[in-house]
Amino acid sequence: IETEILKQSSFFQNIIIDESQDFKNEWWKIVELSLEKQSSNMLIFNDNNQKIYKDVFQDNNFFNDFKKIELNQNFRNTLNIHLLVRNYYNGHSYKSNSIRGEKIKFLEEDSENYDELLNNLLENLIIENDISLEKISILNCDTVKSDDYAKFNSKIKFNLKKCDSNISNAITYDSVYRYKGLENDVVIIINLSNKSNNIELLYTALS
């Protein structure tokens, strides 16, 4: 890739990078080679609280020459979600959305009838509250393999799809790792109980 970039006759004057905490070392080299040598700009969005992948860029000194601007307003989450998320946040203070939103509901994962409780919750959302399947996402804090997907699908009464699927009329079921950066009207997070030490994963999943 680096060789092909250097063959180009023109380069970028401005590059915007989102989720830079997920960038690998070799990706940064490609970005730098793609910039014009003079009068070029790079705008980088970074949140170390969402660093949930391995083998990513670790050199914090890289950003020393950049002007740092801290974002201090949370427009994405309701107040109730913000109040929960900030327990897993490590950084500067920021304000929350003024919209309180729905209360956060909790189900006991070690309950013997957990599958029944989860299906009852889905039925309430879909049938009683008239929420379409496409507006519901179930996120697993563990990696979701093919066997895991099939096993979970057999427990749920409604159709499921992965986050990159174009299937309609189905609930999205995938891992937090794959779903990162996406959002939905209703999000159900499972397998949280053994993740108390993984603060970044909890923050990413909840926000």
Side-chain angles (χ1 to χ4, degrees):
I1 295 177
E2 295 174 18
T3 303
E4 292 301 315
I5 291 174
L6 293 173
K7 290 180 182 179
Q8 303 300 315
S9 58
S10 61
F11 299 89
F12 295 101
Q13 187 175 6
N14 299 284
I15 293 181
I16 300 174
I17 297 175
D18 194 15
E19 306 285 2
S20 69
Q21 74 278 349
D22 298 333
F23 265 50
K24 297 181 179 181
N25 287 321
E26 55 268 29
W27 297 357
W28 285 109
K29 189 172 183 180
I30 293 172
V31 169
E32 291 181 300
L33 289 173
S34 302
L35 280 169
E36 287 185 359
K37 302 307 177 187
Q38 297 178 348
S39 66
S40 59
N41 300 289
M42 197 186 316
L43 179 61
I44 300 172
F45 293 92
N46 180 80
D47 184 359
N48 284 330
N49 291 277
Q50 297 188 50
K51 189 181 288 185
I52 62 174
Y53 303 119
K54 297 179 180 179
D55 302 324
V56 296
F57 187 67
Q58 299 292 334
D59 185 7
N60 292 326
N61 294 325
F62 178 84
F63 300 106
N64 287 345
D65 295 332
F66 287 84
K67 180 181 179 181
K68 184 178 180 181
I69 301 175
E70 293 183 341
L71 304 180
N72 55 15
Q73 182 74 45
N74 181 357
F75 292 100
R76 182 171 189 170
N77 301 135
T78 61
L79 177 59
N80 282 328
I81 294 175
H82 166 80
L83 293 175
L84 176 62
V85 167
R86 70 179 184 180
N87 294 315
Y88 306 99
Y89 176 78
N90 181 25
H92 66 280
S93 61
Y94 63 96
K95 299 177 181 179
S96 65
N97 194 321
S98 59
I99 301 175
R100 181 164 293 276
E102 297 291 332
K103 290 184 178 180
I104 299 172
K105 299 179 177 65
F106 296 90
L107 298 178
E108 291 291 336
E109 288 188 326
D110 57 355
S111 172
E112 293 182 358
N113 61 338
Y114 177 71
D115 293 341
E116 181 182 350
L117 292 174
L118 183 56
N119 275 300
N120 289 341
L121 173 61
L122 292 172
E123 288 181 348
N124 179 265
L125 291 169
I126 297 165
I127 299 174
E128 300 297 329
N129 291 279
D130 197 27
I131 296 176
S132 64
L133 274 65
E134 291 88 351
K135 293 183 178 181
I136 301 174
S137 294
I138 302 176
L139 306 185
N140 196 327
C141 287
D142 291 326
T143 302
V144 178
K145 300 178 181 179
S146 298
D147 292 344
D148 300 326
Y149 184 87
K151 184 178 180 180
F152 186 77
N153 201 3
S154 67
K155 298 179 180 179
I156 301 301
K157 298 178 181 179
F158 302 92
N159 294 330
L160 299 179
K161 65 176 181 179
K162 296 182 179 179
C163 66
D164 54 0
S165 172
N166 293 322
I167 297 175
S168 59
N169 197 33
I171 296 170
T172 297
Y173 171 63
D174 220 314
S175 69
V176 174
Y177 298 94
R178 278 173 42 85
Y179 197 81
K180 187 174 181 294
L182 303 176
E183 58 184 23
N184 213 341
D185 289 7
V186 178
V187 177
I188 301 170
I189 304 170
I190 63 174
N191 286 339
L192 274 168
S193 57
N194 61 342
K195 300 296 185 299
S196 58
N197 293 327
N198 195 335
I199 301 300
E200 292 83 5
L201 181 64
L202 291 175
Y203 172 84
T204 301
L206 294 170
S207 63

